[in-house]
Amino acid sequence: MKKFILFIGIFLAFNVGYAQELTRILFIFDASNSMNGKWEGSTKIDLAREILGEEIEALRGTPNLELALRVYGHQSPITPTFQDCDDTKLEVEFGPDNYSRIKSFINRVQPKGTTPIARSLEAAADDFPDKNARNIIILITDGLEACDQFPCEVAKKLKSKEIGVTPFVVGLGIDLKYLNAFDCIGRFYEASTKESFRKVIKSVITDALSNTTAQINLNDIHGKPTETNTTVFLYKAGTKDLKYTFTHTMNFKNQPDTIVVIDPEMQYDMVVNTLPKVTVKGLKLYKGQHNILPADCPQGMLKVRVKGSTKTKDVQVRVTQAGESRTLNVQDIDQIQKYMVGDYDLEILTLPRIYKDNVTISQSQHTYIDIPGSGLLEYRCSRILVGQIFLLNDSDDTAEWVCDLNDRTSKGSFFLQPGKYKIVYRWKDAVSTDYTNVKNFIIKSGGTTSLNL
């Protein structure tokens, strides 16, 4: 079965300096036999009719806009021994008020033939009256090229006729290896559901009318836009008025994805939600152009891990920027977390705490911090206790407080780092300090120490 894909192509006049006030959009509609196939609880032809019909109706009344419709695969039935690769026809010519005619034809056409994408694109170049406008082609199809030509060869022919080609490709489940062959044509967008398909159609039509696009470059330490997978906020400049929210994405060419739904009439403050966040203020877009919105966001990865046997890995790590007291993040042991390139202080929330200062995060590198595994202390007594646990330091014979005992129970347990300890305690209801007791014990990684107090 053929894949469901959407090709959106923009054919612009060669003379880009011309003041193009009129916009013409030619819809090329797939009426090949495979459009009878099922998708999202309906047929592909019905869903395409519904979505395209909605968007055509939404365009009604748009100034300086003319539409036309070319259809393929609707005249000659495909058979096991025959497919008509010339089955493509301009059904509704360009005009200022032909919305109803286009919708009517789409609603009554019956899918039956093959998929001559390349020949339809080549024929479409002659559907436009002249070059004195922004000439747009939107091709909706559920199939790959089925005839003897290839779209890239058509692109070369169109360029030889001084017609520029910049298509977008939106696909549902299409093999990305196949799409690599479309490098000569343009960008690829994947649509996996009916709703995402609808959003794509809206987005590219908006782009066709405004011709203003943008891409957000999250640059690494070398100034290359390699960083991604981060939430980006765009605020109206100088305010807290949030206008757009994006999850930064790389396209199938591993380049920052193009944003088409964005208002070019205002300036923006951009917040990139890295750790720590990056803010770029006063970004200006230029109408009718492709805009680059850059931010320096070099990042590397941090992972704190336990080496050797342990009784628990349920430990968190408090991260601050070096020399600062404010908590930047709390991450789990064995979690990989991205941070901006720089130095950080770590407080590993073991008992007792482990501190690592000036830990360096480097561009695209993993920084590993290893800690020993914990042991388990279990204690019990016949009566409720009050007391504290201390770590004994052999180097200076000092004792470092670790934690307090629970004074509402006669037993308990703690995961402790390996070392020498002492527990100082007495019965809770004792009325004399003479009842104070001290007991030393040793904790080993992965081991259990039991005390009867």
Side-chain angles (χ1 to χ4, degrees):
M1 180 172 21
K2 293 180 180 178
K3 312 287 186 176
F4 187 66
I5 51 177
L6 166 70
F7 291 78
I8 302 132
I10 302 180
F11 288 59
L12 300 177
F14 183 74
N15 182 9
V16 295
Y18 185 85
Q20 298 166 338
E21 295 182 356
L22 175 64
T23 298
R24 298 190 184 100
I25 299 179
L26 172 65
F27 292 99
I28 303 181
F29 193 75
D30 184 345
S32 64
N33 182 60
S34 59
M35 288 289 282
N36 290 309
K38 297 293 185 181
W39 186 51
E40 292 261 309
S42 183
T43 62
K44 289 179 276 187
I45 185 69
D46 285 340
L47 291 178
R49 284 168 175 159
E50 174 190 341
I51 293 171
L52 184 55
E54 290 174 355
E55 296 310 312
I56 289 174
E57 188 60 36
L59 290 173
R60 191 185 293 272
T62 303
N64 298 318
L65 176 65
E66 294 183 358
L67 304 182
L69 175 68
R70 172 174 285 274
V71 182
Y72 66 78
H74 63 304
Q75 301 175 103
S76 302
I78 191 170
T79 71
T81 59
F82 174 74
Q83 60 175 10
D84 184 1
C85 287
D86 293 318
D87 185 0
T88 177
K89 182 180 180 182
L90 179 66
E91 296 290 356
V92 181
E93 295 182 352
F94 278 104
D97 191 22
N98 52 12
Y99 306 95
S100 296
R101 289 176 58 201
I102 293 175
K103 289 173 60 179
S104 176
F105 193 94
I106 289 172
N107 287 334
R108 70 174 184 268
V109 69
Q110 296 301 315
K112 61 179 70 171
T114 190
T115 311
I117 293 174
R119 298 191 189 191
S120 296
L121 287 173
E122 187 171 21
D126 295 324
D127 293 342
F128 296 93
D130 53 55
K131 299 179 183 179
N132 299 326
R134 293 191 59 244
N135 291 332
I136 312 296
I137 290 180
I138 298 180
L139 166 59
I140 301 173
T141 179
D142 82 323
L144 307 180
E145 174 62 49
C147 293
D148 56 347
Q149 291 182 304
F150 195 72
C152 281
E153 295 301 317
V154 175
K156 294 177 183 177
K157 292 180 181 179
L158 293 170
K159 288 178 182 178
S160 69
K161 295 179 181 180
E162 298 187 345
I163 300 176
V165 185
T166 313
F168 303 89
V169 182
V170 180
L172 180 69
I174 189 171
D175 186 352
L176 294 181
K177 292 180 180 178
Y178 176 84
L179 287 168
N180 288 335
F182 283 84
D183 283 350
C184 62
I185 293 184
R187 298 187 294 269
F188 168 72
Y189 297 84
E190 184 176 11
S192 58
T193 65
K194 173 184 174 181
E195 287 308 309
S196 62
F197 186 68
R198 175 180 279 113
K199 288 179 180 179
V200 165
I201 292 286
K202 285 181 178 292
S203 176
V204 296
I205 289 178
T206 299
D207 180 38
L209 296 176
S210 69
N211 198 31
T212 301
T213 59
Q215 71 181 57
I216 298 172
N217 282 8
L218 304 184
N219 295 327
D220 59 25
I221 201 169
H222 307 294
K224 304 293 185 181
T226 62
E227 304 290 357
T228 190
N229 300 333
T230 301
T231 302
V232 179
F233 298 147
L234 289 180
Y235 295 87
K236 183 178 180 180
T239 75
K240 295 183 179 180
D241 184 6
L242 180 60
K243 293 298 184 182
Y244 301 98
T245 300
F246 304 108
T247 300
H248 189 273
T249 306
M250 295 294 201
N251 61 24
F252 80 103
K253 295 181 181 179
N254 203 33
Q255 295 294 322
D257 194 32
T258 295
I259 303 167
V260 296
V261 184
I262 189 168
D263 183 359
E265 300 296 337
M266 69 174 65
Q267 293 189 24
Y268 297 93
D269 293 338
M270 181 168 68
V271 176
V272 184
N273 288 278
T274 50
L275 288 174
K277 68 182 180 182
V278 174
T279 301
V280 183
K281 294 186 176 182
L283 291 171
K284 183 178 180 180
L285 282 87
Y286 294 92
K287 194 172 182 179
Q289 297 183 24
H290 183 64
N291 297 267
I292 304 295
L293 306 181
D296 291 330
C297 301
Q299 297 172 81
M301 284 69 70
L302 171 67
K303 181 178 182 179
V304 180
R305 57 190 181 182
V306 175
K307 300 296 285 185
S309 59
T310 185
K311 281 296 184 180
T312 182
K313 286 189 176 182
D314 188 17
V315 177
Q316 292 185 310
V317 182
R318 176 176 173 264
V319 182
T320 63
Q321 289 182 269
E324 297 188 9
S325 60
R326 183 174 179 178
T327 300
L328 178 65
N329 185 41
V330 176
Q331 69 180 75
D332 294 328
I333 287 285
D334 285 338
Q335 174 188 349
I336 298 175
Q337 179 63 56
K338 279 187 174 183
Y339 293 92
M340 293 285 288
V341 167
D343 293 334
Y344 297 85
D345 296 336
L346 310 184
E347 180 183 5
I348 305 171
L349 303 181
T350 53
L351 287 177
R353 303 288 190 251
I354 297 174
Y355 296 92
K356 299 289 185 179
D357 295 335
N358 295 312
V359 174
T360 298
I361 302 297
S362 301
Q363 175 67 58
S364 303
Q365 300 296 314
H366 284 81
T367 297
Y368 295 104
I369 302 296
D370 294 332
I371 64 171
S374 65
L376 176 63
L377 168 67
E378 295 178 333
Y379 71 89
R380 65 177 58 248
C381 184
S382 60
R383 299 163 72 173
I384 294 177
L385 300 173
V386 294
Q388 297 176 306
I389 296 175
F390 295 86
L391 174 67
L392 302 178
N393 298 312
D394 289 337
S395 60
D396 54 9
D397 293 327
T398 59
E400 174 189 345
W401 172 86
V402 175
C403 59
D404 290 351
L405 304 184
N406 186 345
D407 64 359
R408 292 177 291 178
T409 181
S410 61
K411 61 182 179 179
S413 62
F414 295 96
F415 296 107
L416 301 174
Q417 287 291 289
K420 297 179 180 178
Y421 294 84
K422 68 179 178 180
I423 181 170
V424 181
Y425 66 97
R426 64 163 170 78
W427 297 325
K428 184 176 180 179
D429 57 3
V431 294
S432 171
T433 56
D434 292 341
Y435 288 96
T436 299
N437 283 280
V438 177
K439 181 169 286 191
N440 292 351
F441 62 94
I442 294 175
I443 294 293
K444 296 182 179 179
S445 293
T448 299
T449 299
S450 299
L451 297 179
N452 291 313
L453 303 177

